[in-house]
PDB file of all heavy atoms in Angstrom:
ATOM      1  N   ALA A 128      71.545-121.765 144.246  1.00 97.00           N
ATOM      2  CA  ALA A 128      72.702-121.679 143.372  1.00 97.00           C
ATOM      3  C   ALA A 128      73.498-120.482 143.607  1.00 97.00           C
ATOM      4  O   ALA A 128      74.594-120.298 143.039  1.00 97.00           O
ATOM      5  CB  ALA A 128      72.182-121.850 141.885  1.00 97.00           C
ATOM      6  N   TRP A 129      72.998-119.469 144.337  1.00 98.00           N
ATOM      7  CA  TRP A 129      73.709-118.313 144.721  1.00 98.00           C
ATOM      8  C   TRP A 129      74.880-118.648 145.702  1.00 98.00           C
ATOM      9  O   TRP A 129      74.621-119.452 146.613  1.00 98.00           O
ATOM     10  CB  TRP A 129      72.827-117.198 145.255  1.00 98.00           C
ATOM     11  CG  TRP A 129      71.835-116.726 144.248  1.00 98.00           C
ATOM     12  CD1 TRP A 129      70.651-117.212 143.908  1.00 98.00           C
ATOM     13  CD2 TRP A 129      72.110-115.543 143.448  1.00 98.00           C
ATOM     14  NE1 TRP A 129      70.078-116.436 142.878  1.00 98.00           N
ATOM     15  CE2 TRP A 129      70.856-115.310 142.608  1.00 98.00           C
ATOM     16  CE3 TRP A 129      73.043-114.578 143.311  1.00 98.00           C
ATOM     17  CZ2 TRP A 129      70.766-114.332 141.666  1.00 98.00           C
ATOM     18  CZ3 TRP A 129      72.982-113.527 142.386  1.00 98.00           C
ATOM     19  CH2 TRP A 129      71.733-113.477 141.636  1.00 98.00           C
ATOM     20  N   ALA A 137      76.506-114.045 144.453  1.00 98.00           N
ATOM     21  CA  ALA A 137      76.758-114.181 142.978  1.00 98.00           C
ATOM     22  C   ALA A 137      76.268-115.451 142.426  1.00 98.00           C
ATOM     23  O   ALA A 137      76.152-116.513 143.208  1.00 98.00           O
ATOM     24  CB  ALA A 137      78.238-113.948 142.653  1.00 98.00           C
ATOM     25  N   ARG A 138      75.971-115.418 141.188  1.00 98.00           N
ATOM     26  CA  ARG A 138      75.508-116.670 140.515  1.00 98.00           C
ATOM     27  C   ARG A 138      75.793-116.440 139.001  1.00 98.00           C
ATOM     28  O   ARG A 138      75.791-115.331 138.437  1.00 98.00           O
ATOM     29  CB  ARG A 138      73.998-116.881 140.681  1.00 98.00           C
ATOM     30  CG  ARG A 138      73.452-118.028 139.992  1.00 98.00           C
ATOM     31  CD  ARG A 138      72.009-118.426 140.222  1.00 98.00           C
ATOM     32  NE  ARG A 138      71.774-119.566 139.505  1.00 98.00           N
ATOM     33  CZ  ARG A 138      70.520-120.030 139.364  1.00 98.00           C
ATOM     34  NH1 ARG A 138      69.465-119.403 139.892  1.00 98.00           N
ATOM     35  NH2 ARG A 138      70.325-121.067 138.550  1.00 98.00           N
ATOM     36  N   GLU A 139      76.003-117.578 138.376  1.00 98.00           N
ATOM     37  CA  GLU A 139      76.264-117.560 136.895  1.00 98.00           C
ATOM     38  C   GLU A 139      75.334-118.566 136.267  1.00 98.00           C
ATOM     39  O   GLU A 139      74.880-119.516 136.764  1.00 98.00           O
ATOM     40  CB  GLU A 139      77.694-118.085 136.532  1.00 98.00           C
ATOM     41  CG  GLU A 139      77.940-118.117 135.089  1.00 98.00           C
ATOM     42  CD  GLU A 139      79.371-118.540 134.741  1.00 98.00           C
ATOM     43  OE1 GLU A 139      80.294-117.620 134.831  1.00 98.00           O
ATOM     44  OE2 GLU A 139      79.577-119.695 134.497  1.00 98.00           O
ATOM     45  N   TRP A 140      74.741-118.137 135.078  1.00 97.00           N
ATOM     46  CA  TRP A 140      73.828-118.867 134.169  1.00 97.00           C
ATOM     47  C   TRP A 140      74.630-119.145 132.865  1.00 97.00           C
ATOM     48  O   TRP A 140      75.295-118.251 132.357  1.00 97.00           O
ATOM     49  CB  TRP A 140      72.643-118.122 133.849  1.00 97.00           C
ATOM     50  CG  TRP A 140      71.603-117.998 134.975  1.00 97.00           C
ATOM     51  CD1 TRP A 140      70.544-118.751 135.192  1.00 97.00           C
ATOM     52  CD2 TRP A 140      71.672-117.078 136.077  1.00 97.00           C
ATOM     53  NE1 TRP A 140      69.895-118.398 136.305  1.00 97.00           N
ATOM     54  CE2 TRP A 140      70.580-117.295 136.827  1.00 97.00           C
ATOM     55  CE3 TRP A 140      72.506-116.030 136.407  1.00 97.00           C
ATOM     56  CZ2 TRP A 140      70.294-116.596 137.934  1.00 97.00           C
ATOM     57  CZ3 TRP A 140      72.229-115.241 137.567  1.00 97.00           C
ATOM     58  CH2 TRP A 140      71.143-115.549 138.344  1.00 97.00           C
ATOM     59  N   LYS A 141      74.438-120.349 132.359  1.00 97.00           N
ATOM     60  CA  LYS A 141      74.899-120.690 131.031  1.00 97.00           C
ATOM     61  C   LYS A 141      73.653-120.904 130.218  1.00 97.00           C
ATOM     62  O   LYS A 141      72.883-121.761 130.471  1.00 97.00           O
ATOM     63  CB  LYS A 141      75.669-121.993 131.080  1.00 97.00           C
ATOM     64  CG  LYS A 141      76.340-122.311 129.724  1.00 97.00           C
ATOM     65  CD  LYS A 141      77.301-123.509 129.861  1.00 97.00           C
ATOM     66  CE  LYS A 141      77.883-123.844 128.492  1.00 97.00           C
ATOM     67  NZ  LYS A 141      78.724-125.087 128.605  1.00 97.00           N
ATOM     68  N   LEU A 142      73.465-120.027 129.218  1.00 97.00           N
ATOM     69  CA  LEU A 142      72.312-120.038 128.382  1.00 97.00           C
ATOM     70  C   LEU A 142      72.510-120.654 126.988  1.00 97.00           C
ATOM     71  O   LEU A 142      73.656-120.981 126.717  1.00 97.00           O
ATOM     72  CB  LEU A 142      71.779-118.631 128.296  1.00 97.00           C
ATOM     73  CG  LEU A 142      71.333-118.101 129.640  1.00 97.00           C
ATOM     74  CD1 LEU A 142      71.981-116.849 129.954  1.00 97.00           C
ATOM     75  CD2 LEU A 142      69.791-117.950 129.798  1.00 97.00           C
ATOM     76  N   ALA A 143      71.512-120.923 126.243  1.00 97.00           N
ATOM     77  CA  ALA A 143      71.573-121.652 125.019  1.00 97.00           C
ATOM     78  C   ALA A 143      72.515-120.955 124.040  1.00 97.00           C
ATOM     79  O   ALA A 143      73.237-121.684 123.272  1.00 97.00           O
ATOM     80  CB  ALA A 143      70.182-121.825 124.450  1.00 97.00           C
ATOM     81  N   ALA A 148      71.220-115.149 126.137  1.00 98.00           N
ATOM     82  CA  ALA A 148      71.970-114.452 127.218  1.00 98.00           C
ATOM     83  C   ALA A 148      71.551-113.005 127.277  1.00 98.00           C
ATOM     84  O   ALA A 148      71.229-112.392 128.330  1.00 98.00           O
ATOM     85  CB  ALA A 148      73.414-114.575 127.093  1.00 98.00           C
ATOM     86  N   PHE A 151      68.011-112.616 128.594  1.00 98.00           N
ATOM     87  CA  PHE A 151      68.065-112.753 130.075  1.00 98.00           C
ATOM     88  C   PHE A 151      68.461-111.491 130.761  1.00 98.00           C
ATOM     89  O   PHE A 151      67.827-111.066 131.726  1.00 98.00           O
ATOM     90  CB  PHE A 151      68.890-114.071 130.481  1.00 98.00           C
ATOM     91  CG  PHE A 151      68.943-114.258 131.945  1.00 98.00           C
ATOM     92  CD1 PHE A 151      67.890-114.624 132.611  1.00 98.00           C
ATOM     93  CD2 PHE A 151      70.174-114.090 132.584  1.00 98.00           C
ATOM     94  CE1 PHE A 151      67.927-114.898 134.010  1.00 98.00           C
ATOM     95  CE2 PHE A 151      70.261-114.267 133.993  1.00 98.00           C
ATOM     96  CZ  PHE A 151      69.130-114.665 134.679  1.00 98.00           C
ATOM     97  N   ARG A 154      65.765-108.960 130.709  1.00 98.00           N
ATOM     98  CA  ARG A 154      64.677-109.299 131.760  1.00 98.00           C
ATOM     99  C   ARG A 154      65.156-108.937 133.132  1.00 98.00           C
ATOM    100  O   ARG A 154      64.405-108.431 133.988  1.00 98.00           O
ATOM    101  CB  ARG A 154      64.279-110.856 131.671  1.00 98.00           C
ATOM    102  CG  ARG A 154      63.496-111.114 130.383  1.00 98.00           C
ATOM    103  CD  ARG A 154      62.783-112.439 130.454  1.00 98.00           C
ATOM    104  NE  ARG A 154      63.572-113.544 130.865  1.00 98.00           N
ATOM    105  CZ  ARG A 154      64.371-114.371 130.146  1.00 98.00           C
ATOM    106  NH1 ARG A 154      64.442-114.041 128.765  1.00 98.00           N
ATOM    107  NH2 ARG A 154      65.059-115.416 130.557  1.00 98.00           N
ATOM    108  N   VAL A 155      66.419-109.224 133.462  1.00 98.00           N
ATOM    109  CA  VAL A 155      67.066-108.909 134.819  1.00 98.00           C
ATOM    110  C   VAL A 155      67.043-107.358 134.886  1.00 98.00           C
ATOM    111  O   VAL A 155      66.658-106.900 135.956  1.00 98.00           O
ATOM    112  CB  VAL A 155      68.394-109.447 134.918  1.00 98.00           C
ATOM    113  CG1 VAL A 155      69.140-108.834 136.188  1.00 98.00           C
ATOM    114  CG2 VAL A 155      68.395-110.977 135.009  1.00 98.00           C
ATOM    115  N   ASP A 167      75.307-106.093 139.610  1.00 97.00           N
ATOM    116  CA  ASP A 167      76.418-106.063 138.649  1.00 97.00           C
ATOM    117  C   ASP A 167      76.217-107.102 137.683  1.00 97.00           C
ATOM    118  O   ASP A 167      75.933-108.327 138.097  1.00 97.00           O
ATOM    119  CB  ASP A 167      77.790-106.219 139.377  1.00 97.00           C
ATOM    120  CG  ASP A 167      78.100-105.062 140.251  1.00 97.00           C
ATOM    121  OD1 ASP A 167      77.500-103.918 140.038  1.00 97.00           O
ATOM    122  OD2 ASP A 167      78.869-105.193 141.249  1.00 97.00           O
ATOM    123  N   ASP A 169      77.633-109.241 134.230  1.00 98.00           N
ATOM    124  CA  ASP A 169      78.665-109.606 133.306  1.00 98.00           C
ATOM    125  C   ASP A 169      78.238-110.510 132.252  1.00 98.00           C
ATOM    126  O   ASP A 169      77.730-111.658 132.642  1.00 98.00           O
ATOM    127  CB  ASP A 169      79.980-110.159 134.052  1.00 98.00           C
ATOM    128  CG  ASP A 169      80.650-109.104 134.915  1.00 98.00           C
ATOM    129  OD1 ASP A 169      80.847-107.977 134.435  1.00 98.00           O
ATOM    130  OD2 ASP A 169      81.001-109.511 136.014  1.00 98.00           O
ATOM    131  N   LEU A 170      78.361-110.192 131.047  1.00 97.00           N
ATOM    132  CA  LEU A 170      78.128-111.161 129.938  1.00 97.00           C
ATOM    133  C   LEU A 170      79.433-111.593 129.372  1.00 97.00           C
ATOM    134  O   LEU A 170      80.260-110.768 128.999  1.00 97.00           O
ATOM    135  CB  LEU A 170      77.275-110.474 128.848  1.00 97.00           C
ATOM    136  CG  LEU A 170      77.005-111.254 127.564  1.00 97.00           C
ATOM    137  CD1 LEU A 170      76.195-112.509 127.879  1.00 97.00           C
ATOM    138  CD2 LEU A 170      76.246-110.391 126.514  1.00 97.00           C
ATOM    139  N   HIS A 171      79.691-112.843 129.478  1.00 96.00           N
ATOM    140  CA  HIS A 171      81.051-113.272 129.039  1.00 96.00           C
ATOM    141  C   HIS A 171      80.926-114.573 128.175  1.00 96.00           C
ATOM    142  O   HIS A 171      79.925-115.326 128.280  1.00 96.00           O
ATOM    143  CB  HIS A 171      81.992-113.471 130.214  1.00 96.00           C
ATOM    144  CG  HIS A 171      81.513-114.260 131.375  1.00 96.00           C
ATOM    145  ND1 HIS A 171      81.723-115.569 131.507  1.00 96.00           N
ATOM    146  CD2 HIS A 171      80.560-113.945 132.233  1.00 96.00           C
ATOM    147  CE1 HIS A 171      81.177-116.004 132.623  1.00 96.00           C
ATOM    148  NE2 HIS A 171      80.434-115.069 133.058  1.00 96.00           N
ATOM    149  N   ASN A 174      77.621-117.062 125.913  1.00 98.00           N
ATOM    150  CA  ASN A 174      76.290-117.525 126.397  1.00 98.00           C
ATOM    151  C   ASN A 174      76.280-117.537 128.048  1.00 98.00           C
ATOM    152  O   ASN A 174      75.365-118.134 128.472  1.00 98.00           O
ATOM    153  CB  ASN A 174      75.931-118.846 125.877  1.00 98.00           C
ATOM    154  CG  ASN A 174      76.875-119.877 126.412  1.00 98.00           C
ATOM    155  OD1 ASN A 174      78.001-119.672 126.841  1.00 98.00           O
ATOM    156  ND2 ASN A 174      76.370-121.157 126.321  1.00 98.00           N
ATOM    157  N   LYS A 175      77.287-116.838 128.644  1.00 98.00           N
ATOM    158  CA  LYS A 175      77.252-116.877 130.144  1.00 98.00           C
ATOM    159  C   LYS A 175      76.978-115.525 130.672  1.00 98.00           C
ATOM    160  O   LYS A 175      77.530-114.524 130.253  1.00 98.00           O
ATOM    161  CB  LYS A 175      78.687-117.256 130.553  1.00 98.00           C
ATOM    162  CG  LYS A 175      78.896-118.863 130.195  1.00 98.00           C
ATOM    163  CD  LYS A 175      80.235-119.234 130.688  1.00 98.00           C
ATOM    164  CE  LYS A 175      80.561-120.619 130.205  1.00 98.00           C
ATOM    165  NZ  LYS A 175      81.833-120.651 129.614  1.00 98.00           N
ATOM    166  N   VAL A 176      76.106-115.476 131.712  1.00 98.00           N
ATOM    167  CA  VAL A 176      75.790-114.237 132.423  1.00 98.00           C
ATOM    168  C   VAL A 176      76.123-114.477 133.866  1.00 98.00           C
ATOM    169  O   VAL A 176      75.586-115.428 134.494  1.00 98.00           O
ATOM    170  CB  VAL A 176      74.279-113.912 132.199  1.00 98.00           C
ATOM    171  CG1 VAL A 176      73.915-112.695 133.072  1.00 98.00           C
ATOM    172  CG2 VAL A 176      73.935-113.675 130.756  1.00 98.00           C
ATOM    173  N   SER A 177      76.893-113.518 134.421  1.00 98.00           N
ATOM    174  CA  SER A 177      77.135-113.596 135.914  1.00 98.00           C
ATOM    175  C   SER A 177      76.489-112.347 136.487  1.00 98.00           C
ATOM    176  O   SER A 177      76.610-111.275 135.985  1.00 98.00           O
ATOM    177  CB  SER A 177      78.696-113.583 136.128  1.00 98.00           C
ATOM    178  OG  SER A 177      79.280-114.719 135.649  1.00 98.00           O
ATOM    179  N   LEU A 178      75.849-112.589 137.685  1.00 98.00           N
ATOM    180  CA  LEU A 178      75.232-111.563 138.369  1.00 98.00           C
ATOM    181  C   LEU A 178      75.820-111.439 139.820  1.00 98.00           C
ATOM    182  O   LEU A 178      76.128-112.495 140.398  1.00 98.00           O
ATOM    183  CB  LEU A 178      73.665-111.705 138.463  1.00 98.00           C
ATOM    184  CG  LEU A 178      72.954-111.734 137.166  1.00 98.00           C
ATOM    185  CD1 LEU A 178      71.540-112.016 137.432  1.00 98.00           C
ATOM    186  CD2 LEU A 178      73.140-110.490 136.356  1.00 98.00           C
ATOM    187  N   ARG A 179      75.924-110.338 140.300  1.00 98.00           N
ATOM    188  CA  ARG A 179      76.396-110.125 141.649  1.00 98.00           C
ATOM    189  C   ARG A 179      75.558-109.014 142.311  1.00 98.00           C
ATOM    190  O   ARG A 179      75.303-107.967 141.756  1.00 98.00           O
ATOM    191  CB  ARG A 179      77.884-109.599 141.557  1.00 98.00           C
ATOM    192  CG  ARG A 179      78.646-109.587 142.784  1.00 98.00           C
ATOM    193  CD  ARG A 179      80.135-109.232 142.456  1.00 98.00           C
ATOM    194  NE  ARG A 179      80.830-108.651 143.588  1.00 98.00           N
ATOM    195  CZ  ARG A 179      81.514-109.304 144.494  1.00 98.00           C
ATOM    196  NH1 ARG A 179      81.497-110.671 144.509  1.00 98.00           N
ATOM    197  NH2 ARG A 179      82.012-108.731 145.514  1.00 98.00           N
ATOM    198  N   LEU A 180      75.025-109.343 143.553  1.00 98.00           N
ATOM    199  CA  LEU A 180      74.156-108.435 144.258  1.00 98.00           C
ATOM    200  C   LEU A 180      74.782-108.054 145.509  1.00 98.00           C
ATOM    201  O   LEU A 180      75.315-108.942 146.362  1.00 98.00           O
ATOM    202  CB  LEU A 180      72.812-109.142 144.559  1.00 98.00           C
ATOM    203  CG  LEU A 180      71.936-109.308 143.322  1.00 98.00           C
ATOM    204  CD1 LEU A 180      70.879-110.394 143.606  1.00 98.00           C
ATOM    205  CD2 LEU A 180      71.209-107.961 143.020  1.00 98.00           C
ATOM    206  N   MET A 195      65.906-109.889 145.712  1.00 97.00           N
ATOM    207  CA  MET A 195      66.136-109.704 144.256  1.00 97.00           C
ATOM    208  C   MET A 195      66.689-111.063 143.570  1.00 97.00           C
ATOM    209  O   MET A 195      66.250-111.390 142.526  1.00 97.00           O
ATOM    210  CB  MET A 195      67.176-108.619 143.992  1.00 97.00           C
ATOM    211  CG  MET A 195      67.492-108.404 142.454  1.00 97.00           C
ATOM    212  SD  MET A 195      66.052-107.990 141.508  1.00 97.00           S
ATOM    213  CE  MET A 195      65.678-106.355 141.991  1.00 97.00           C
ATOM    214  N   ALA A 196      67.608-111.800 144.382  1.00 97.00           N
ATOM    215  CA  ALA A 196      67.981-113.072 143.859  1.00 97.00           C
ATOM    216  C   ALA A 196      66.790-113.994 143.587  1.00 97.00           C
ATOM    217  O   ALA A 196      66.754-114.674 142.588  1.00 97.00           O
ATOM    218  CB  ALA A 196      68.955-113.697 144.879  1.00 97.00           C
ATOM    219  N   ARG A 198      63.734-113.139 142.789  1.00 96.00           N
ATOM    220  CA  ARG A 198      62.969-112.668 141.707  1.00 96.00           C
ATOM    221  C   ARG A 198      63.763-113.051 140.405  1.00 96.00           C
ATOM    222  O   ARG A 198      63.120-113.459 139.418  1.00 96.00           O
ATOM    223  CB  ARG A 198      62.854-111.196 141.728  1.00 96.00           C
ATOM    224  CG  ARG A 198      61.873-110.652 142.822  1.00 96.00           C
ATOM    225  CD  ARG A 198      61.650-109.201 142.679  1.00 96.00           C
ATOM    226  NE  ARG A 198      61.039-108.750 143.917  1.00 96.00           N
ATOM    227  CZ  ARG A 198      61.635-107.984 144.811  1.00 96.00           C
ATOM    228  NH1 ARG A 198      62.825-107.544 144.645  1.00 96.00           N
ATOM    229  NH2 ARG A 198      61.013-107.567 145.932  1.00 96.00           N
ATOM    230  N   ILE A 199      65.085-112.914 140.448  1.00 97.00           N
ATOM    231  CA  ILE A 199      65.868-113.284 139.260  1.00 97.00           C
ATOM    232  C   ILE A 199      65.719-114.822 138.973  1.00 97.00           C
ATOM    233  O   ILE A 199      65.577-115.254 137.880  1.00 97.00           O
ATOM    234  CB  ILE A 199      67.277-112.814 139.433  1.00 97.00           C
ATOM    235  CG1 ILE A 199      67.405-111.361 139.418  1.00 97.00           C
ATOM    236  CG2 ILE A 199      68.206-113.448 138.343  1.00 97.00           C
ATOM    237  CD1 ILE A 199      68.716-110.703 139.953  1.00 97.00           C
ATOM    238  N   ASP A 200      65.873-115.621 140.068  1.00 96.00           N
ATOM    239  CA  ASP A 200      65.722-117.051 139.909  1.00 96.00           C
ATOM    240  C   ASP A 200      64.358-117.440 139.286  1.00 96.00           C
ATOM    241  O   ASP A 200      64.304-118.391 138.528  1.00 96.00           O
ATOM    242  CB  ASP A 200      65.774-117.753 141.308  1.00 96.00           C
ATOM    243  CG  ASP A 200      67.204-117.838 141.749  1.00 96.00           C
ATOM    244  OD1 ASP A 200      68.168-117.604 140.955  1.00 96.00           O
ATOM    245  OD2 ASP A 200      67.350-118.132 142.957  1.00 96.00           O
ATOM    246  N   ALA A 201      63.338-116.676 139.584  1.00 94.00           N
ATOM    247  CA  ALA A 201      62.050-116.964 138.982  1.00 94.00           C
ATOM    248  C   ALA A 201      62.014-116.703 137.456  1.00 94.00           C
ATOM    249  O   ALA A 201      61.097-117.283 136.740  1.00 94.00           O
ATOM    250  CB  ALA A 201      60.876-116.145 139.682  1.00 94.00           C
ATOM    251  N   LEU A 202      62.910-115.819 136.971  1.00 89.00           N
ATOM    252  CA  LEU A 202      62.959-115.621 135.512  1.00 89.00           C
ATOM    253  C   LEU A 202      63.576-116.765 134.749  1.00 89.00           C
ATOM    254  O   LEU A 202      63.196-116.939 133.581  1.00 89.00           O
ATOM    255  CB  LEU A 202      63.909-114.397 135.266  1.00 89.00           C
ATOM    256  CG  LEU A 202      63.470-113.008 135.650  1.00 89.00           C
ATOM    257  CD1 LEU A 202      64.583-112.042 135.345  1.00 89.00           C
ATOM    258  CD2 LEU A 202      62.181-112.590 134.942  1.00 89.00           C
ATOM    259  N   ALA A 203      64.511-117.518 135.306  1.00 74.00           N
ATOM    260  CA  ALA A 203      65.237-118.523 134.692  1.00 74.00           C
ATOM    261  C   ALA A 203      64.520-119.699 134.325  1.00 74.00           C
ATOM    262  O   ALA A 203      63.505-120.109 134.805  1.00 74.00           O
ATOM    263  CB  ALA A 203      66.510-118.740 135.465  1.00 74.00           C
TER     264      ALA A 203
END
Side-chain angles (χ1 to χ4, degrees):
W129 291 84
R138 182 172 176 193
E139 180 178 272
W140 285 262
K141 185 175 181 182
L142 295 123
F151 179 67
R154 290 193 313 271
V155 169
D167 293 335
D169 291 315
L170 175 61
H171 51 102
N174 66 338
K175 294 181 187 128
V176 176
S177 295
L178 300 179
R179 189 171 157 89
L180 287 161
M195 180 57 72
R198 289 185 198 110
I199 293 168
D200 284 346
L202 290 177

